[in-house]
Amino acid sequence: MPIEVDQEQRLAQIAEATSQVARERGVRAVTIRAVAQQLGSSTTVITNYLPSRASLMANALRHAERRWSAESEELLEGRTGLDRLLTLAAWMCTTERDDDVMRRLLTEIVSESDASDAGILVRRLAREHRDALGELTAQAGMARPEAAADVLHLIFRGYWLSTLEDPDSWPAERGAAAAQAAAALFAAQPPAAEAAAPTEPRA
């Protein structure tokens, strides 16, 4: 009888092997054949679940996103308001073991095709990230939560690209400081109606 293999377990193994190939040989080296070799298996072990290079990269990104979600939930537990948002801002600018690899994979996916499953996944995750920021800025009591969420979303995306372009100039502390400064500026703004109120004419 054939050995039963849990699909989620196999996809997790493939995701780890994909990250390993990208980390050791670079993102361009990620192929179905290279990942199969990393697993010590035939290519059919990959293609039974993931039929293309794009879906291979999407699988790695999907598993990384699950890890990030679990980490952020644990980090933010018990925190509220502006403290919750500032804590997330600092965490979003950290770089752990595979974060740099995943940022390079994300860039590779975006550069290849926006019509693939991987491209669709990247857009969905980006929109979910932006929407989550909108909830956090609103919970922080910001006068312009949607604008604050837009700015922070763009800061995080820009920071991730900057760490690939010039990592020595953009340590985590610098990125976190920029994001937290932007959040603090929005937190200090008066409500729109108050800000637009006419001043009393001078006597």
Side-chain angles (χ1 to χ4, degrees), residues 72-101:
S72 63
E73 287 176 9
E74 181 178 355
L75 178 70
L76 298 179
E77 186 176 0
R79 298 181 183 273
T80 59
L82 184 59
D83 176 53
R84 185 177 177 86
L85 180 62
L86 294 178
T87 300
L88 179 70
W91 177 80
M92 291 289 289
C93 295
T94 58
T95 299
E96 299 297 338
R97 176 171 172 264
D98 274 340
D99 291 352
D100 179 72
V101 169

Side-chain angles (χ1 to χ4, degrees), residues 7 9 15 22 24 57 67 70 74 77 81 87 99 106 122 130-131 135 142 162 169 193:
Q7 180 171 328
Q9 180 183 0
E24 294 177 355
M57 293 190 293
R67 173 173 57 82
E74 181 178 355
E77 186 176 0
T87 300
D99 291 352
L106 189 151
V122 165
R130 162 57 187 81
D131 290 344
E135 294 177 5
M142 293 187 172
S162 295
S169 295

Side-chain angles (χ1 to χ4, degrees), residues 6 25-26 31 41 52 59-60 83 98 108 110 129 131 143-144 152 157 160 168-169 178 200 202:
D6 179 80
R25 292 185 259 167
T31 63
S41 305
S52 67
N59 177 62
D83 176 53
D98 274 340
E108 181 79 0
V110 170
H129 172 257
D131 290 344
R144 301 173 61 203
L152 288 172
R157 255 48 188 179
W160 296 341
D168 292 339
S169 295
E200 291 292 328
R202 293 184 177 180

Side-chain angles (χ1 to χ4, degrees), residues 12-23 30 34-36 38-39 46:
Q13 292 170 346
I14 294 172
E16 174 58 30
T18 303
S19 323
Q20 190 75 13
V21 170
R23 186 164 53 247
V30 172
V35 174
Q38 184 67 36
L39 284 171
I46 309 292

